[in-house]
Amino acid sequence: GEPEKRIAAWYTNPNLMHAWLLGHVGQATGDAELIAAGERRVHQIMERFERFGDIDEYNSPTYDGIDLFALALWAVHPPTPTYERSGEAVLAHLGARISALYHRQLGAMCGPYIRAYGLDLQRYVSLAGIWLHIIGESPTSILPATLDQDTVHVHDLYFLPVMLRLAPGVTDHLTLQGVTAPRQHVQRIGDACAESRLGHDLAVGWEYGRRHDASLDQYVPFTAHLGTDGETSSIGIMVPGETAWIDVRQVDDLSFELRAGGKLGRVGVRVVVGSTAAVAADRVSFGPCDISFDQRADGVTETTTAIGIEIHMTWAADEITGRIAVHST
């Protein structure tokens, strides 16, 4: 019943699921039109994957998890041979990237995130966290300690039984590896460039060049997960409603320039931290991370949520510039 063109070509997770459903129902009912529609969607997804070298919906603790689920359906229960070949190819790539960006000592997925419900895997249920648990990671590292009706995204636990059924198609592509030497990952998708850096005590990710408006409130163009004294601290930059885009570019080692463009003469940033930060009108300091701005904000609010403390800073300007400094131990 899904209209053929309602799901945008870049919207990865529903495209992957819908492609399989079309082919599966087509094969079950002998409907050649449904089979052909499913294969057209597979070819569209693969064309974009081959053009960019990854999926459009890049690096999301929740949506990477549903992508692995859908691709496992392609590979384990393929409606046609096209699904099996394509599913294995994309599974291998996503599995390698997720494995490279997961920092086992910190229990963190390195950013930046195209979409995320939070920064800390122990504060909400993510499908990536469930996959990591299936392949052997302790739930204390990658899932909330308390699971009840108030846990953010607790309903994603409903996926566990079917993910276990599909696990043989996924687990060979995921590995748990400690960060014993520095590693980096760079991904370009169109005009956007995402970079990730992992060291023994940090996982820092940043992105620039992305211009989009879908689920912009879930976009995290900068994240830092930092380990000190056996504890992990997380900080991220997110996008408030008055802001159209945020770019973060590396300046030198662990120093970055932040630029944000606004709408209708106002611009803002949301700084999300795991616990109390030192906040002023032109600065946020959180553990070994400092974020400073060239001008003082005329609005600063702090809100405590289930995923951390959100500091919302706003300016009467079309664009603001700031600096991020991460001090590794």
Side-chain angles (χ1 to χ4, degrees):
E2 176 67 44
E4 184 169 356
K5 296 185 178 180
R6 189 185 72 88
I7 302 172
W10 53 262
Y11 199 3
T12 307
N13 80 87
N15 268 316
L16 290 171
M17 292 189 290
H18 189 49
W20 181 83
L21 188 62
L22 286 167
H24 176 73
V25 175
Q27 285 288 4
T29 61
D31 189 324
E33 290 187 8
L34 283 182
I35 295 171
E39 291 209 336
R40 283 197 302 272
R41 198 164 290 260
V42 170
H43 290 309
Q44 172 185 274
I45 293 165
M46 294 306 296
E47 187 277 328
R48 297 183 70 85
F49 173 75
E50 290 163 5
R51 186 196 321 168
F52 297 130
D54 209 307
I55 57 175
D56 289 88
E57 201 171 44
Y58 173 77
N59 199 30
S60 164
T62 288
Y63 295 99
D64 274 344
I66 195 67
D67 294 340
L68 291 175
F69 168 75
L71 290 163
L73 288 171
W74 287 26
V76 178
H77 300 288
T80 70
T82 298
Y83 286 84
E84 185 173 14
R85 292 191 301 270
S86 300
E88 285 290 348
V90 185
L91 267 176
H93 182 86
L94 262 63
R97 189 244 295 156
I98 292 167
S99 299
L101 295 187
Y102 175 59
H103 197 304
R104 195 174 188 190
Q105 293 97 314
L106 301 180
M109 295 296 302
C110 189
Y113 309 131
I114 180 67
R115 294 175 71 185
Y117 289 92
L119 309 179
D120 184 347
L121 295 181
Q122 295 180 34
R123 288 182 177 265
Y124 71 106
V125 177
S126 72
L127 293 179
I130 296 175
W131 281 118
L132 291 168
H133 177 47
I134 287 172
I135 65 169
E137 193 70 312
S138 168
T140 60
S141 298
I142 38 73
L143 289 169
T146 301
L147 297 171
D148 58 25
Q149 68 273 15
D150 297 320
T151 304
V152 177
H153 248 242
V154 69
H155 53 270
D156 273 356
L157 288 175
Y158 291 132
F159 274 90
L160 180 58
V162 288
M163 287 166 69
L164 288 170
R165 291 286 296 273
L166 292 168
V170 175
T171 53
D172 285 348
H173 300 293
L174 294 172
T175 58
L176 298 174
Q177 49 186 322
V179 180
T180 57
R183 58 179 185 251
Q184 291 190 266
H185 184 81
V186 178
Q187 178 64 51
R188 295 183 181 274
I189 298 178
D191 294 329
C193 181
E195 301 190 43
S196 304
R197 175 175 171 178
L198 290 82
H200 77 281
D201 63 348
L202 60 83
V204 180
W206 62 96
E207 185 175 76
Y208 57 87
R210 189 177 292 277
R211 301 291 183 266
H212 70 294
D213 54 17
S215 301
L216 196 58
D217 61 329
Q218 296 175 353
Y219 176 46
V220 194
F222 175 83
T223 64
H225 303 281
L226 306 158
T228 54
D229 301 324
E231 298 291 329
T232 300
S233 301
S234 300
I235 184 170
I237 300 291
M238 300 185 73
V239 185
E242 67 274 3
T243 299
W245 55 267
I246 294 179
D247 283 345
V248 179
R249 296 175 185 263
Q250 187 178 30
V251 176
D252 180 34
D253 193 29
L254 289 173
S255 296
F256 306 88
E257 179 190 64
L258 181 156
R259 293 175 56 240
K263 306 173 185 175
L264 302 175
R266 290 205 69 81
V267 63
V269 298
R270 292 159 58 204
V271 182
V272 180
V273 296
S275 58
T276 303
V279 180
D282 60 353
R283 182 180 298 273
V284 175
S285 297
F286 179 72
C289 185
D290 293 309
I291 304 172
S292 59
F293 298 94
D294 291 345
Q295 54 186 295
R296 294 173 62 84
D298 57 27
V300 180
T301 61
E302 294 186 47
T303 306
T304 300
T305 72
I307 62 169
I309 298 172
E310 180 175 311
I311 302 148
H312 185 182
M313 308 177 74
T314 59
W315 292 261
D318 294 320
E319 185 174 313
I320 54 100
T321 302
R323 288 164 300 282
I324 303 171
V326 177
H327 310 288
S328 173
T329 59

